Amino acid sequence: MIEVIGLTKKFKEVTAVDNVSFKVDKGEIVGLLGENGAGKTTTLRMISTMLKPTSGTAKICGLDLVNEPDKVRKKIGILFGGEVGLYDRLTARENIKYFADLSGLSSEEANRNIEFLAEMLDMKEYIDRRVGKFSRGMKQKVAIARSIVHNPDVMLFDEPTIGLDVSSSAIVQDFILDCKKKGRAIIFSSHSMREVERLCDRVVIIHKGRIVYDGKIEDLRREYNGEDLEKVFLRLVGDKDE
Amino acid sequence: MNSLWGIVFKKELKDLFRDRKTVIMSVLLPLVLFPLLFGLIGKGVKSTTEKVAKEVKIAYIGEESSFKNFLSSVPNIKIVETKDYQEEVKKGTIYLAVVVEEDFDEKLSQEKMSDIKIIYDSESTNSQTALDVVKDVINTYKDEVVKGRLEKRGIDVSILSPVDVKNEPVNREKAGGGALMLTMLLPLYLIIYAITGPMAAAVDLGAGEKERGTLEPLLTTQASRMQLLFGKLFAITVMGIIGTTSSLTGLYIAFKYSMDFMGDVGLKISIGSLVLIGVTAIILNMIFAAVELAVSIYARSFKEAQTYLSPVTIIGMIVAYGTYMMDVKSASTMMFNIPLANISLIIKEFIIGVYNPMHIVITFVWAIVYIIAAILFARYMFSREEVVFRT
């Protein structure tokens, strides 16, 4: 469903992502693990067509992201961490509707999806209130609904739980698992091995723009004789420093 | 309006109008600012002037004279007895003192020159007003004396005024006398409002979008960057035009009701001129909206955008004030090639009812060039990855 092929991004002299290739299947969660500045966000921005790759490409549902970025965008939903990125002066419904409209959904389709999501995420009570005064958890639900309102086949999560408290994190993690159940292909970036361990089927460890490990979590554990995975991660990214 | 830029445009306008701060700053404040300011100043000036003119309290220093009698006969002048007139003028208990030299009447009858000194306070507006009143009285008194002297010699008074000057403007029917003032002020205001009107919206829709973190999800929708750009640009332009309209309306109300001098002069502008001035104002707003949006997209945050935009304001103001005194009748066709100056000049022409096709074509072609250049500049900013993802 997602096939990343030799993706490379250079910013002037710096190579942020260097010849990265990996695959994600339907209903699979792949963890993109790396330290800050390893190239996770840049990789996800390229897959979501926000940045143009210097070389290489990726195929999303068979569509080439360099040649057909518009079609690719229809297939992707993104949920990026940090600021939730909502318009405070619009209501929750208007926020979601705006992105549904911009994704090319018909008005009936948009309204139907919003009703469904309001039910699913338990937001009916406040869907018509302005988001400015919402709690972080409420905002997070609106952001989730917005990311998925156009029914994408592929979901990209960039450190979505960063800065969230336990209950808000749980909302996001439940959502990711729900996406998996619905057969979406998911890339989930994080700098925490614990989170990746809990959610992901496979892990791609990236360091200084290069892939240093790509495989199943069990295989990783087996390879290092049941050692604590946090330590394995540190060893993997540490080795390359020398 | 189901195109993607239309969706962006509608959403941005809704968002902007829900911002109480933006609505107050760019719609309500300009509407009430000038009427309030002019009203207060006008009222203040009027009331003090009236108070002084009603009862001009002055001191008369010197012996009894025909001049003192003349002064006393003026109904609104009140001669007050005083000991230390210098001190009292300073304190403001009397507005001024008239000091008449010795043997005033005697010198007068001998047809010699006599001195009258007026002691007043140059820092007091009341004293200034009183000075005007007293000077008028003295002039009337002087005329009386001269008349008496001429009559004694059997000469008619009209000998003193050999010429009678009457001013008659050639263009009385075309535009009233207010047109001159309007040709100076309107281009200035239109340029300044076109700069300040769209600014708050431009900052919000460019840098604000970045700071809120809404730009990234927006870029993964079906809307292309140009569609986002145009939606935003038109929303900002609309805010600018609304700002300009409410500022001008406020100014008009202020002139009309607080000062009385605009209405009386009878300013006549044809509908055609008004339409052309309106079109020019829209173009002006579009130019600055595009420039400000480009700068705002470049900035990392609200604060940075505001910092970068202050020089834009200053440059615009300098040009606006530079053309303020320019006389449109002596301007050469070459002048219509200078940015902003040409727009200022063409507005001046429209006000006085001159439609020079050559000037209009040159100015409007240039205006379109500026708009395209500004949009290309904004697009360039929006297409550069390092600018869009600078945080």
Side-chain angles (χ1 to χ4, degrees):
Chain A
M1 210 154 215
I2 307 174
E3 191 182 359
V4 179
I5 310 153
L7 217 48
T8 301
K9 183 70 188 177
K10 286 185 180 148
F11 294 113
K12 285 176 188 149
E13 300 301 303
V14 188
T15 307
V17 174
D18 193 357
N19 199 19
V20 165
S21 304
F22 62 91
K23 274 187 192 174
V24 185
D25 283 331
K26 223 171 166 245
E28 188 181 33
I29 305 178
V30 168
L32 196 59
L33 191 65
E35 296 184 297
N36 293 331
K40 304 183 298 276
T41 302
T42 306
T43 305
L44 289 178
R45 278 179 177 165
M46 280 192 283
I47 298 173
S48 61
T49 75
M50 281 191 264
L51 287 177
K52 277 201 183 77
T54 311
S55 66
T57 186
K59 291 205 188 300
I60 315 290
C61 309
L63 298 161
D64 188 285
L65 73 83
V66 177
N67 298 327
E68 299 169 292
D70 291 346
K71 286 182 186 159
V72 167
R73 277 200 283 270
K74 267 195 178 162
K75 304 280 181 194
I76 308 178
I78 64 164
L79 188 65
F80 282 14
E83 277 299 306
V84 278
L86 299 173
Y87 300 103
D88 281 355
R89 294 186 292 267
L90 298 188
T91 66
R93 188 190 298 277
E94 286 165 341
N95 263 290
I96 303 165
K97 182 78 168 31
Y98 182 45
F99 281 83
D101 289 342
L102 287 180
S103 297
L105 260 60
S106 71
S107 214
E108 301 85 66
E109 207 179 347
N111 290 334
R112 203 169 50 234
N113 289 0
I114 292 169
E115 282 309 317
F116 173 77
L117 288 166
E119 184 82 42
M120 179 186 112
L121 291 161
D122 196 18
M123 328 190 277
K124 284 210 142 166
E125 205 184 310
Y126 51 83
I127 186 113
D128 287 314
R129 293 206 332 242
R130 294 192 191 177
V131 300
K133 287 186 179 140
F134 283 13
S135 71
R136 187 63 204 255
M138 288 153 86
K139 283 187 178 177
Q140 197 63 53
K141 284 184 180 178
V142 179
I144 286 172
R146 179 186 64 191
S147 71
I148 204 165
V149 69
H150 56 300
N151 260 323
D153 295 325
V154 169
M155 276 301 297
L156 307 176
F157 295 91
D158 187 23
E159 310 214 10
T161 56
I162 203 160
L164 292 185
D165 59 18
V166 183
S167 59
S168 300
S169 292
I171 297 171
V172 175
Q173 287 167 358
D174 288 348
F175 173 61
I176 294 172
L177 290 173
D178 186 66
C179 284
K180 177 187 163 78
K181 234 184 271 166
K182 298 222 165 78
R184 298 191 161 103
I186 298 151
I187 303 179
F188 168 81
S189 96
S190 175
H191 59 263
S192 151
M193 182 52 118
R194 301 245 177 278
E195 207 171 31
V196 168
E197 225 181 320
R198 190 159 55 239
L199 292 169
C200 301
D201 305 301
R202 255 176 52 231
V203 60
V204 171
I205 299 176
I206 169 170
H207 183 63
K208 290 189 174 171
R210 286 166 186 271
I211 291 182
V212 292
Y213 181 83
D214 178 358
K216 289 205 159 134
I217 306 246
E218 303 92 81
D219 294 343
L220 188 66
R221 199 174 278 131
R222 203 175 307 131
E223 219 172 291
Y224 288 88
N225 301 321
E227 204 180 325
D228 180 50
L229 284 180
E230 200 80 47
K231 279 188 188 149
V232 173
F233 170 57
L234 281 176
R235 195 180 311 167
L236 275 168
V237 301
D239 281 346
K240 299 284 166 182
D241 276 338
E242 285 150 24
Chain B
M1 215 192 289
N2 283 323
S3 57
L4 292 178
W5 75 261
I7 293 169
V8 177
F9 173 74
K10 273 197 284 189
K11 178 259 157 195
E12 297 296 14
L13 271 188
K14 190 199 280 174
D15 201 355
L16 285 168
F17 270 105
R18 281 196 190 164
D19 184 13
R20 218 171 290 150
K21 205 172 60 199
T22 303
V23 173
I24 291 173
M25 290 301 285
S26 52
V27 185
L28 291 179
L29 196 64
L31 196 61
V32 297
L33 186 68
F34 280 110
L36 266 179
L37 210 64
F38 278 44
L40 284 178
I41 293 172
K43 220 170 201 169
V45 169
K46 220 172 161 188
S47 77
T48 46
T49 321
E50 270 174 357
K51 195 185 100 200
V52 174
K54 224 177 186 177
E55 193 184 50
V56 187
K57 281 184 283 183
I58 64 170
Y60 178 89
I61 315 298
E63 58 206 39
E64 293 293 316
S65 66
S66 58
F67 178 57
K68 188 179 180 182
N69 295 337
F70 188 82
L71 266 181
S72 317
S73 70
V74 179
N76 60 337
I77 287 182
K78 191 186 172 198
I79 297 175
V80 182
E81 289 299 320
T82 167
K83 283 182 192 130
D84 187 353
Y85 64 89
Q86 301 265 11
E87 191 56 32
E88 295 219 29
V89 171
K90 247 188 231 166
K91 276 199 292 189
T93 43
I94 54 169
Y95 300 136
L96 55 80
V98 180
V99 183
V100 176
E101 72 170 331
E102 269 178 48
D103 306 326
F104 182 86
D105 273 353
E106 203 182 313
K107 277 188 179 173
L108 209 66
S109 61
Q110 289 168 5
E111 304 198 349
K112 282 184 187 165
M113 188 122 82
S114 307
D115 286 345
I116 296 175
K117 239 195 304 183
I118 300 175
I119 314 294
Y120 75 107
D121 182 356
S122 62
E123 288 160 2
S124 150
T125 49
N126 288 352
S127 191
Q128 296 278 356
T129 314
L131 182 65
D132 289 340
V133 173
V134 171
K135 268 186 176 167
D136 275 350
V137 173
I138 293 174
N139 278 330
T140 321
Y141 176 72
K142 257 169 36 186
D143 288 348
E144 289 288 310
V145 172
V146 171
K147 208 173 132 192
R149 287 177 183 176
L150 288 173
E151 270 168 3
K152 219 164 70 184
R153 292 173 171 79
I155 300 170
D156 194 83
V157 195
S158 65
I159 194 170
L160 287 179
S161 27
V163 181
D164 187 17
V165 182
K166 278 188 186 126
N167 300 330
E168 206 167 293
V170 285
N171 42 12
R172 194 194 277 166
E173 278 128 60
K174 254 194 196 160
L180 177 68
M181 202 178 65
L182 204 62
T183 56
M184 297 203 303
L185 292 182
L186 193 61
L188 179 75
Y189 284 139
L190 283 180
I191 293 174
I192 290 174
Y193 293 147
I195 296 171
T196 54
M199 197 167 284
V203 170
D204 195 47
L205 301 196
E209 191 100 53
K210 256 194 208 178
E211 197 168 306
R212 280 189 300 264
T214 40
L215 188 57
E216 290 192 7
L218 211 52
L219 290 177
T220 57
T221 62
Q222 288 297 298
S224 71
R225 288 179 198 202
M226 275 311 263
Q227 283 165 330
L228 292 175
L229 190 69
F230 274 110
K232 284 172 183 291
L233 181 62
F234 287 126
I236 296 169
T237 307
V238 167
M239 289 309 282
I241 292 165
I242 291 172
T244 300
T245 312
S246 72
S247 301
L248 287 182
T249 310
L251 208 58
Y252 179 76
I253 294 171
F255 274 119
K256 186 101 184 161
Y257 294 101
S258 310
M259 291 228 141
D260 306 326
F261 61 80
M262 194 101 151
D264 292 349
V265 179
L267 180 67
K268 283 182 206 134
I269 299 184
S270 70
I271 299 290
S273 288
L274 275 181
V275 170
L276 283 169
I277 292 169
V279 171
T280 316
I282 292 171
I283 290 172
L284 259 180
N285 271 291
M286 276 197 86
I287 296 170
F288 283 107
V291 171
E292 287 168 12
L293 180 59
V295 172
S296 174
I297 289 168
Y298 178 75
R300 286 187 185 89
S301 61
F302 279 103
K303 236 185 183 167
E304 227 183 75
Q306 276 155 351
T307 311
Y308 291 154
L309 282 173
S310 47
V312 175
T313 319
I314 293 164
I315 291 167
M317 297 255 184
I318 291 171
V319 179
Y321 279 106
T323 58
Y324 161 70
M325 288 297 284
M326 219 180 259
D327 183 18
V328 63
K329 295 219 167 135
S330 57
S332 68
T333 304
M334 266 308 288
M335 298 289 290
F336 286 85
N337 291 303
I338 302 171
L340 283 185
N342 53 7
I343 291 177
S344 172
L345 286 171
I346 205 89
I347 297 170
K348 287 172 196 250
E349 283 197 342
F350 291 155
I351 294 168
I352 58 170
V354 171
Y355 311 107
N356 182 325
M358 186 71 170
H359 292 174
I360 295 174
V361 169
I362 295 176
T363 306
F364 278 44
V365 166
W366 273 120
I368 291 165
V369 171
Y370 308 148
I371 292 176
I372 292 172
I375 289 174
L376 287 178
F377 176 50
R379 190 180 78 155
Y380 170 69
M381 285 298 171
F382 219 16
S383 66
R384 281 177 59 193
E385 291 173 348
E386 65 270 33
V387 167
V388 173
F389 294 103
R390 244 159 54 104
T391 41

